[in-house]
Amino acid sequence: MEPLPNSRTEPDGSAVVRVLSYNIRSMRDDTDALARVIAACAPDLVLLQEAPRFFRWRKKLARLAAASGLVILSGGATAAGPALLCSLRATVERTEDVLLPLTPGLHRRGFATAVVRFGGARLGVVSCHLSLQRDERHAQAGLLLDQVAKMGVEHVVAGGDLNERPGGPVFRRLGDGLRDCWTVAPWGGEYTSTATDPHQRIDAVLTTEGVEVLGCGVPAGLPGVAEDDLRAATDHLPVLTALRVPAA
């Protein structure tokens, strides 16, 4: 497997940024394996779904961040599950946790969001976990596009567990304003679910126009990412993406 570009800041102020999206099932599995996978991917940004939401959730998330060589950026219980971690390379401008409208009888959903800078590059970030229910999921895709539009940043990366396969209504709706990074520059593996029997892609990283996608996919076979760790860490496989973000 060809290596993804390493993080770096270019002389013109643009930045190569590595982004990892990962559903971690509330850290109910092998958290040591989870931390090893995240660290081996060497991400600048981690978009988590199903981060811990209950008793001592901040401590659990902080422990994962520290074990992965990262820090907490935003989200967790305050965003109903999505969370953001980042490396110390990121300069944080602002963060916001957004709760979505609650449908009675269904799980509360939200977005973890931030605006960060790498060198001269400025980037909006959104982690999401869309509904299992078809109509609510489609509505939440529209809310995700609205969130991206109102962040006031030219370049945005969004990612998460979309609970839908490519070609479905959510992917089509998100295509109105975002590009699916796997489709643009496939790299590594495609299928993200399940970790023990990968047969479908329901997790994705998406970007606005103007961000160059250098590669995107499941980092199976990446040096340091063990197959046993991928199977033990959680029930999804992660999506690793390298982006080149222009200078602001």
Side-chain angles (χ1 to χ4, degrees), residues 6 17 22 27-28 31 34 36 38 47-48 70 74-75 83 107 118-119 136 145 172 187 215 225 244:
N6 292 325
V17 179
Y22 210 174
M27 294 173 60
R28 294 201 305 265
T31 54
L34 179 64
R36 285 193 295 268
I38 294 173
L47 285 53
L48 297 175
L70 303 166
S74 71
H107 175 63
F118 297 94
E136 186 182 47
L145 291 174
R172 292 199 300 272
W187 168 91
V225 178
R244 180 177 282 109

Side-chain angles (χ1 to χ4, degrees), residues 112-134:
T113 82
V115 177
V116 297
R117 285 183 285 114
F118 297 94
R122 192 163 174 254
L123 185 65
V125 192
V126 184
S127 176
C128 67
H129 186 182
L130 303 189
S131 176
L132 288 164
Q133 201 275 332
R134 180 186 178 96

Side-chain angles (χ1 to χ4, degrees), residues 193-239:
S193 174
T194 61
T196 55
D197 177 27
H199 64 279
Q200 60 181 349
R201 181 163 76 93
I202 60 173
D203 305 83
V205 175
L206 310 116
T207 66
T208 50
E209 291 290 338
V211 176
E212 183 182 357
V213 183
L214 305 175
C216 174
V218 174
L222 187 74
V225 178
E227 289 292 330
D228 287 348
D229 281 348
L230 286 173
R231 287 192 292 269
T234 174
D235 61 342
H236 283 239
L237 294 175
V239 181

Side-chain angles (χ1 to χ4, degrees), residues 46-131:
V46 182
L47 285 53
L48 297 175
Q49 300 84 49
E50 293 191 36
R53 294 185 296 119
F54 300 111
F55 184 65
R56 291 184 174 171
W57 66 269
R58 285 186 177 87
K59 182 172 286 188
K60 293 174 184 174
L61 194 56
R63 193 177 297 132
L64 176 64
S68 308
L70 303 166
V71 295
I72 297 174
L73 184 51
S74 71
T78 48
L84 299 173
L85 309 179
C86 68
S87 71
L88 294 177
R89 181 173 176 240
T91 300
V92 182
E93 285 193 12
R94 66 178 189 267
T95 65
E96 182 184 11
D97 298 329
V98 179
L99 291 175
L100 303 185
L102 177 62
T103 303
L106 295 180
H107 175 63
R108 191 71 186 252
R109 303 284 174 172
F111 301 143
T113 82
V115 177
V116 297
R117 285 183 285 114
F118 297 94
R122 192 163 174 254
L123 185 65
V125 192
V126 184
S127 176
C128 67
H129 186 182
L130 303 189
S131 176

